[in-house]
Amino acid sequence: MALTTRFRQRVASAALAALAIPPLVGTAKAESLLPVLDRPATPNGLAEQSVLLAAANAGERLVVVGERGIVLFSDDHGLHWQQAVVPVSVTLTTVTFATPTLGWAAGHAGVILHTQDGGKTWQKQLDGHIAQRLLQAEYASAKNDTDPKRVARSAQAKALATPEADKPFLALHFVDLNTGYAVGAYGLLFRTTDGGKHWDAWVTRSDNPKGLHIYAVASDGKQLLLAGEQGLLLHGDTDGQAFTAIDSGLRRSFFSVSHAAGQWWLAGLQGSLLHSADGKKFESISGLPPISWASIQKSDRQLLLTNQAGMAFVLDPGSSKTRQLPLAPGFPIATVFPSGDGGLIGIGLRGVKRLPSTTP
């Protein structure tokens, strides 16, 4: 599990191993977070060669995020990149856009950022200090709740509410411009209903008694699905107040979840790829390499999948058929996503690069 956890942290929805999730208590003192939370990301001429972990489309613009608070954006399909203005220098692990201008990014130390100009400049909405107070409030509320399950889970909120506990967010998803979810290590779960102006801790509202890491979240507009380690799957309605565990039939960690062409898709450890029409009963797709998946990216009516070996596949959601893309060797790819002009962009431990490839 430790290797899988390190991998998930370093690249996109699943990282390549170098920045381990720290133990819940005892390694990150509150005062040690102050420099990275208060120090803006440093302009860097080599930012394109830095470790980059996640990508998103802001309309025609491409946006990628990674270590030390680096955010890059491109308006010419990845030929040239500019570094954004970011108020923190923590590692950013995820980014998403609801419109071409409105987006969010998140990462370590409980950081959630917001942009209103398509990723050029970012403002902090949440950090570990604020998150600690929200978790303390959740613990106080949950321990006296009438729901015995929520009372039992209050210990998780209490553990995460300590200043020593790092709070790494690993995925973000916005159902609309107002309602969004941020998930992460140790069962972290936060929700906003006003576009991130205010966030609420929802750790005790998920059926995750072991505090397993939550790696991914997706929605079809009505349902939400959260996926994590050891086969964790949590299902909820977008207007509901709790997430219930469901059984996929596998105990392998899931690193990515997506909804496309009326189907739910789960990708995870040892090449596991599952699909479902209702988000509750899943079937496995066989015949794929037994190599853990790193990410799923939507590309028009298809899905792009990348595994830990840097192999990329195109999947047709209608037929469930896959084909491998003939990527050029020499660049360690962790996540592949469409450039917007028929090409592909790869990101990973060596930064970002346009990839010569057959159009997906």
Side-chain angles (χ1 to χ4, degrees), residues 9 19-25 27-28 108 164-168 185-186 213:
Q9 285 300 295
L19 184 63
I21 297 176
L24 182 57
V25 175
T27 60
H108 280 243
E164 292 85 3
D166 189 13
K167 299 164 181 62
Y186 320 115
H213 302 327

Side-chain angles (χ1 to χ4, degrees), residues 150-315:
R150 197 160 177 246
V151 173
R153 297 169 193 152
S154 65
Q156 289 176 252
K158 183 179 181 180
L160 286 165
T162 63
E164 292 85 3
D166 189 13
K167 299 164 181 62
F169 287 116
L170 305 176
L172 283 166
H173 180 79
F174 273 75
V175 178
D176 51 41
L177 293 180
N178 294 313
T179 305
Y181 297 83
V183 301
Y186 320 115
L188 274 176
L189 174 57
F190 279 66
R191 188 181 83 146
T192 179
T193 57
D194 58 8
K197 295 177 183 177
H198 304 90
W199 290 85
D200 293 312
W202 265 37
V203 172
T204 61
R205 297 181 183 272
S206 67
D207 191 6
N208 182 14
K210 295 182 179 179
L212 299 175
H213 302 327
I214 305 173
Y215 294 133
V217 54
S219 170
D220 64 356
K222 297 180 180 179
Q223 304 177 85
L224 283 154
L225 199 62
L226 282 58
E229 66 175 331
Q230 299 181 28
L232 177 69
L233 280 181
L234 298 170
H235 177 274
D237 297 328
T238 54
D239 58 352
Q241 296 295 309
F243 289 90
T244 303
I246 58 176
D247 187 0
S248 70
L250 287 180
R251 292 294 177 267
R252 298 174 183 174
S253 296
F254 298 116
F255 302 130
S256 291
V257 59
S258 183
H259 186 269
Q263 292 276 316
W264 291 92
W265 299 90
L266 287 169
L269 200 64
Q270 298 177 350
S272 302
L273 183 61
L274 286 70
H275 67 111
S276 169
D278 61 6
K280 297 179 181 179
K281 296 180 180 179
F282 286 84
E283 296 181 3
S284 295
I285 294 177
S286 59
L288 293 164
I291 303 169
S292 298
W293 295 108
S295 70
I296 301 176
Q297 296 281 350
K298 292 183 181 181
S299 176
D300 296 326
R301 297 182 180 180
Q302 299 176 319
L303 294 175
L304 290 173
L305 296 95
T306 312
N307 65 21
Q308 291 185 10
M311 304 162 66
F313 295 79
V314 172
L315 182 146

Side-chain angles (χ1 to χ4, degrees), residues 97-109:
F97 280 82
T99 73
T101 57
L102 299 179
W104 293 263
H108 280 243

